[in-house]
Amino acid sequence: MLLGRVQPFLKQLLSPVILVLIWEASVRLGFVDSEFLPSPGQILQAMREMGAAELLPELAATLFRIAIGFFIAAVVGVLLGSWMAISSRANGFFYPILASTYAIPKSSFIPLFILWFGLGFWPIVLVVFIACALPVVVYTFHGISEVPKLRVWSALSFGVSRRDLFWSVLLPAAMPEILVGMRIALGFAFTVAIAGEMIVSTTGLGKLIFSYGEGGVYPSMFAVICVLLIVAYVADLLFMAFIDYYLRWLDRGHSSGGGA
Amino acid sequence: MRLSERLRRAFAASYSLILVCLLWEAVAAAGLIREVFLPRLSVVLEQLYAMIADGSLAEPIAVSVARGAVGLALSVVVGSILGFLSARSRTVHLIVSPLLSIGQPLPKVALIPIFILWLGVYSSSKIALVFITCVFPIAISVQAAASAVPKVLLWSSRSLGASEFDVIRTVLLPASLSGLMSGLRVALPLALLATFTAEMIGGGGGVGAALMYSQRLFETPTVYAYLLVMLAMGIVLDQLFLRLRHRLLSWDEQK
């Protein structure tokens, strides 16, 4: 029983582990110059030397910016996307504006935001916001638009108010789509936050990576990159776990009449 | 009558954009926002025109497009092969699939300093970033499409006497092509993003580097002009892609 459950997980681990072993071996055997690619062992060593005292404050700075930008984008994105799905007038107004900003790579706003706000906290939060808002708006719009008309009519015929219709019928039904949009947004958040920190910031993991790179301290640079990649991966895993958990609740909620 | 209807629709589809442009011009002209932050739209457009006229725009665009195109081409070749093999062979799937699902959500921009270390600040490091950014979505959708081919199609083509090569050529490859197209839909904007971001961070020419340079000199109209250029490049790329997909996948009613 247990083996059966563990086996697929072990299969997933097989090739990454082999890859790391090949990497370690080829650096030790001298096939690869460790100046250009430090071995996993050397990278771990560099991580240990930096320790939590150096890494945690930078990690916290990066995650804080991402969290603020992502949160504002999630709220604004869901509200705007819903409004556009419900009101064709709002859609007529916002759609052309959003469609024309959709094509622009969001990291390009970084220099503009530096012009506006100088170096520091706000340019990065703002670029995270811009990058996250669009996928949330688009997926919310689709989610709400695709709620079956029959469900809306039956809710209305039961005398549900407009406000309740939105909060307890439309929004829960659109939640699977909205969460997919938010997962995409989370990926963008990490990308633009790191890019922003490399360009303008004085703190954060992106800045740390870049300054180790410019100083030529390559094992430390690789170590911070590894920390960042692990954090981004775990954030994605946690968000997916949250989606699974949340949607399971939603399914149960449907049969018992749906919650807020 | 038809013309007026068409005009009315065009206006309905774009009046908010026109409004935003007018508001921009008015706010800047009234001096509500300092010129360093928001120059008038007309000044930005003049600057854009000047950059087109004196030819200073052509080189960065050509450099960025070439980098993006080479990186994307590499990721199409490698991604399609990886995705296809991983859909057809269990061993390849066992090796490739975990790496794809781990690599897909990672923020690849973090790798820029590594690519600069390995390949220098010029084109190779940018191409490497575009490649590593685009290869994951392409490989994943090709793999999904090639493994979603209905068994019935394979069985019937074999029982109708198709050789293994025929099956690949007439059934599996067309199915993978539609996967490649949906992968490209995701990868194309990412290619543009990766190119510009790598250029903004690492310098070494291209539109991204030119944009950063004008920001450092506080040439605000140039900054806005480059943003418009990037916007235009994104739209042109998207339109070209839609045409390409329409031509290649005219047989596929789902697209």
Side-chain angles (χ1 to χ4, degrees):
Chain A
M1 262 298 269
L2 186 69
L3 192 72
R5 240 186 250 167
V6 169
Q7 210 181 7
F9 183 67
L10 287 181
K11 264 190 182 173
Q12 284 286 310
L13 277 179
L14 188 66
S15 66
V17 168
I18 291 176
L19 199 70
V20 170
L21 288 179
I22 294 176
W23 175 5
E24 179 78 39
S26 50
V27 179
R28 285 211 185 168
L29 295 174
F31 295 136
V32 181
D33 185 354
S34 69
E35 278 291 300
F36 277 86
L37 182 65
S39 72
Q42 289 169 313
I43 292 174
L44 271 180
Q45 178 65 26
M47 267 185 214
R48 223 174 286 142
E49 276 165 20
M50 277 186 275
E54 187 178 350
L55 285 169
L56 276 185
E58 310 293 337
L59 176 62
T62 302
L63 288 181
F64 185 59
R65 289 168 186 146
I66 290 176
I68 301 275
F70 179 82
F71 180 75
I72 303 175
V75 173
V76 172
V78 168
L79 291 178
L80 183 58
S82 310
W83 190 23
M84 287 169 64
I86 293 168
S87 147
S88 65
R89 194 175 289 176
N91 188 35
F93 183 82
F94 287 110
Y95 180 79
I97 299 177
L98 292 179
S100 55
T101 43
Y102 203 75
I104 194 166
K106 301 306 166 299
S107 57
S108 314
F109 285 110
I110 296 169
L112 185 65
F113 294 155
I114 304 173
L115 267 178
W116 288 354
F117 301 106
L119 310 182
F121 182 72
W122 286 109
I124 295 169
V125 170
L126 208 58
V127 78
V128 169
F129 165 74
I130 293 267
C132 294
L134 277 169
V136 177
V137 170
V138 171
Y139 279 83
T140 305
F141 177 80
H142 280 286
I144 301 254
S145 314
E146 279 159 20
V147 175
K149 284 274 176 292
L150 198 62
R151 204 180 292 176
V152 177
W153 291 333
S154 29
L156 285 175
S157 74
F158 278 118
V160 167
S161 71
R162 285 239 153 241
R163 175 187 293 202
D164 283 346
L165 180 71
F166 177 68
W167 289 108
S168 23
V169 179
L170 292 177
L171 202 57
M175 225 43 209
E177 286 269 321
I178 295 175
L179 288 170
V180 170
M182 286 186 179
R183 186 182 169 212
I184 295 173
L186 190 64
F188 282 154
F190 271 94
T191 299
V192 294
I194 296 304
E197 287 179 352
M198 284 182 176
I199 295 173
V200 291
S201 183
T202 49
T203 54
L205 288 181
K207 175 66 194 171
L208 201 60
I209 292 169
F210 211 64
S211 47
Y212 277 129
E214 291 199 318
V217 196
Y218 297 124
S220 303
M221 179 184 92
F222 277 90
V224 185
I225 291 174
C226 286
V227 169
L228 173 68
L229 294 181
I230 291 167
V231 168
Y233 186 66
V234 170
D236 187 59
L237 277 188
L238 285 178
F239 197 76
M240 284 214 290
F242 169 73
I243 293 180
D244 283 347
Y245 174 77
Y246 189 82
L247 292 186
R248 196 166 51 201
W249 168 85
L250 195 69
D251 266 341
R252 268 190 241 125
H254 269 299
S255 52
S256 65
Chain B
M1 188 61 189
R2 286 206 54 179
L3 183 69
S4 69
E5 174 67 9
R6 223 185 273 172
L7 278 175
R8 202 189 60 78
R9 278 201 191 153
F11 180 73
S14 59
Y15 79 96
S16 56
L17 276 181
I18 299 171
L19 212 62
V20 167
C21 291
L22 289 177
L23 196 69
W24 176 355
E25 181 73 23
V27 165
L32 294 177
I33 299 176
R34 280 174 56 196
E35 225 181 305
V36 203
F37 299 136
L38 189 75
R40 282 157 51 195
L41 178 60
S42 51
V43 173
V44 172
L45 291 177
E46 260 170 48
Q47 176 64 17
L48 183 61
Y49 179 73
M51 284 155 64
I52 295 170
D54 70 10
S56 61
L57 197 57
E59 200 206 323
I61 291 184
V63 168
S64 292
V65 167
R67 285 168 177 167
V70 173
L72 194 64
L74 285 175
S75 65
V76 165
V77 173
V78 175
S80 308
I81 294 175
L82 277 183
F84 188 76
L85 290 181
S86 149
R88 303 316 305 167
S89 144
R90 274 193 165 176
T91 327
V92 179
H93 185 82
L94 186 65
I95 298 169
V96 169
S97 179
L99 297 179
L100 290 182
S101 58
I102 291 175
Q104 162 71 5
L106 298 182
K108 276 68 154 194
V109 279
L111 302 175
I112 290 175
I114 299 181
F115 292 140
I116 293 178
L117 169 68
W118 288 346
L119 303 165
V121 292
Y122 292 102
S123 290
S124 316
S125 60
K126 275 82 183 172
I127 292 171
L129 185 76
V130 175
F131 167 74
I132 204 77
T133 306
C134 297
V135 76
F136 288 100
I138 289 175
I140 287 173
S141 24
V142 169
Q143 178 190 316
S147 43
V149 174
K151 286 264 187 299
V152 181
L153 279 186
L154 297 179
W155 292 334
S156 32
S157 49
R158 278 188 197 123
S159 71
L160 287 171
S163 68
E164 209 43 38
F165 177 75
D166 285 337
V167 171
I168 290 178
R169 194 176 58 87
T170 56
V171 181
L172 289 173
L173 282 186
S176 312
L177 186 66
S178 83
L180 174 63
M181 285 297 136
S182 45
L184 264 181
R185 185 91 225 245
V186 179
L188 266 179
L190 288 180
L192 214 55
L193 175 82
T195 311
F196 292 152
T197 310
E199 288 169 351
M200 285 196 291
I201 294 173
V207 180
L211 171 66
M212 276 317 292
Y213 189 70
S214 53
Q215 181 268 315
R216 288 202 184 117
L217 297 178
F218 289 95
E219 288 170 355
T220 314
T222 318
V223 170
Y224 281 95
Y226 274 121
L227 283 174
L228 291 182
V229 169
M230 289 173 163
L231 177 65
M233 286 170 77
I235 292 174
V236 167
L237 208 61
D238 194 50
Q239 290 302 316
L240 285 179
F241 170 75
L242 289 179
R243 290 230 177 118
L244 177 76
R245 184 172 67 168
H246 188 71
R247 178 166 290 190
L248 288 180
L249 292 186
S250 46
W251 50 270
D252 184 355
E253 67 270 343
Q254 294 174 2
K255 286 195 191 152

